[in-house]
Amino acid sequence: NAGVMQNPRHLVRRRGQEARLRCSPMKGHSHVYWYRQLPEEGLKFMVYLQKENIIDESGMPKERFSAEFPKEGPSILRIQQVVRGDSAAYFCASSPGGQSYNSPLHFGNGTRLTVT
Amino acid sequence: EDQVTQSPEALRLQEGESSSLNCSYTVSGLRGLFWYRQDPGKGPEFLFTLYSAGEEKEKERLKATLTKKESFLHITAPKPEDSATYLCAVQAYNQGGKLIFGQGTELSVKP
């Protein structure tokens, strides 16, 4: 049973470019969460999505960041016009959802974004 | 505001030297407290979930306990392969499945 798959593992972008990070949840999981981890800092919640719905985006910066989880295909975290401060590891996690809210989140191995 | 504080930030142990990691939390209605292990360059790996004060869970050399305000991760006779960052997170009833993480404790076990 494949775990949470994230790609790419490493992404280098120049300032002003766009970054697209992809996440395929575990089989049978319908809820996806995105977290950001800055060097020497903890995991910070960004956004929580179900298929075709954003449930909680309270951790998302108001500008340049967006996320989607379409009916078909992976979840996408999109960062427009990247700046050096966006350099971080971005982790995706998934859970079954529904009545299983207290199920643990299962994490992928992250995408490490470097903005030059 | 829901908050998680872990201490110490870093811990160095000799192989076989037992110790404990602390996780203090403030949350409006705790649904669960979660412990994860994170190795460099990897995503967090789930260890335990605790749901109510007094609960304990064990896995190999690790034992997690929970009170109404904090959780402890006890490491008995650690080995070098236990070296990792240990993360504590809380889930509140009004927050869906979202986890709020602490900063982590970086554990180093020397042979």
Side-chain angles (χ1 to χ4, degrees):
Chain A
N1 189 14
V4 177
M5 303 301 293
Q6 290 189 248
N7 66 82
R9 287 298 311 276
H10 301 274
L11 182 62
V12 179
R13 285 287 178 266
R14 291 184 180 151
R15 279 180 298 171
Q17 291 185 319
E18 178 180 290
R20 281 184 176 241
L21 288 61
R22 296 175 188 78
C23 169
S24 296
M26 283 183 69
K27 187 177 181 180
H29 285 191
S30 60
H31 291 211
V32 164
Y33 308 77
W34 286 93
Y35 284 79
R36 177 164 63 177
Q37 189 171 44
L38 292 164
E40 307 305 320
E41 292 190 17
L43 284 160
K44 300 296 184 187
F45 169 78
M46 299 182 74
V47 63
Y48 162 32
L49 310 102
Q50 296 176 16
K51 288 279 187 181
E52 300 184 287
N53 279 310
I54 296 175
I55 306 303
D56 181 351
E57 57 182 347
S58 58
M60 285 277 269
K62 295 288 185 255
E63 297 179 349
R64 303 188 296 108
F65 285 72
S66 62
E68 63 176 9
F69 189 16
K71 186 176 180 181
E72 301 290 338
S75 175
I76 305 289
L77 179 67
R78 181 183 178 201
I79 311 172
Q80 295 178 291
Q81 299 175 328
V82 296
V83 301
R84 286 207 172 123
D86 297 331
S87 296
Y90 292 82
F91 289 95
C92 171
S94 71
S95 71
Q99 296 302 309
S100 304
Y101 273 135
N102 57 3
S103 295
L105 302 190
H106 296 269
F107 283 83
N109 281 326
T111 292
R112 278 144 190 84
L113 173 65
T114 302
V115 180
T116 62
Chain B
E1 181 182 342
D2 300 337
Q3 196 167 358
V4 179
T5 303
Q6 291 188 247
S7 62
E9 289 186 10
L11 182 61
R12 292 186 178 185
L13 299 174
Q14 288 296 126
E15 185 172 2
E17 180 187 1
S18 301
S19 188
S20 294
L21 283 55
N22 177 262
C23 170
S24 297
Y25 64 90
T26 304
V27 63
S28 53
L30 180 71
R31 175 183 272 136
L33 184 140
F34 297 76
W35 281 98
Y36 284 81
R37 168 190 172 131
Q38 187 175 23
D39 292 294
K42 298 284 186 67
E45 176 187 346
F46 170 71
L47 293 173
F48 304 109
T49 308
L50 301 165
Y51 297 106
S52 57
E55 189 175 1
E56 298 182 351
K57 294 266 179 82
E58 284 189 69
K59 180 179 179 179
E60 295 181 359
R61 295 176 292 282
L62 300 176
K63 181 169 128 179
T65 62
L66 181 64
T67 72
K68 287 188 177 179
K69 292 186 177 181
E70 57 191 352
S71 177
F72 293 94
L73 185 65
H74 308 277
I75 304 176
T76 303
K79 298 182 178 182
E81 53 261 42
D82 295 322
S83 298
T85 296
Y86 289 85
L87 302 169
C88 172
V90 296
Q91 187 181 69
Y93 275 106
N94 62 350
Q95 298 284 316
K98 179 172 82 176
L99 296 181
I100 305 299
F101 280 88
Q103 300 282 77
T105 293
E106 184 177 354
L107 174 66
S108 174
V109 182
K110 300 298 182 186

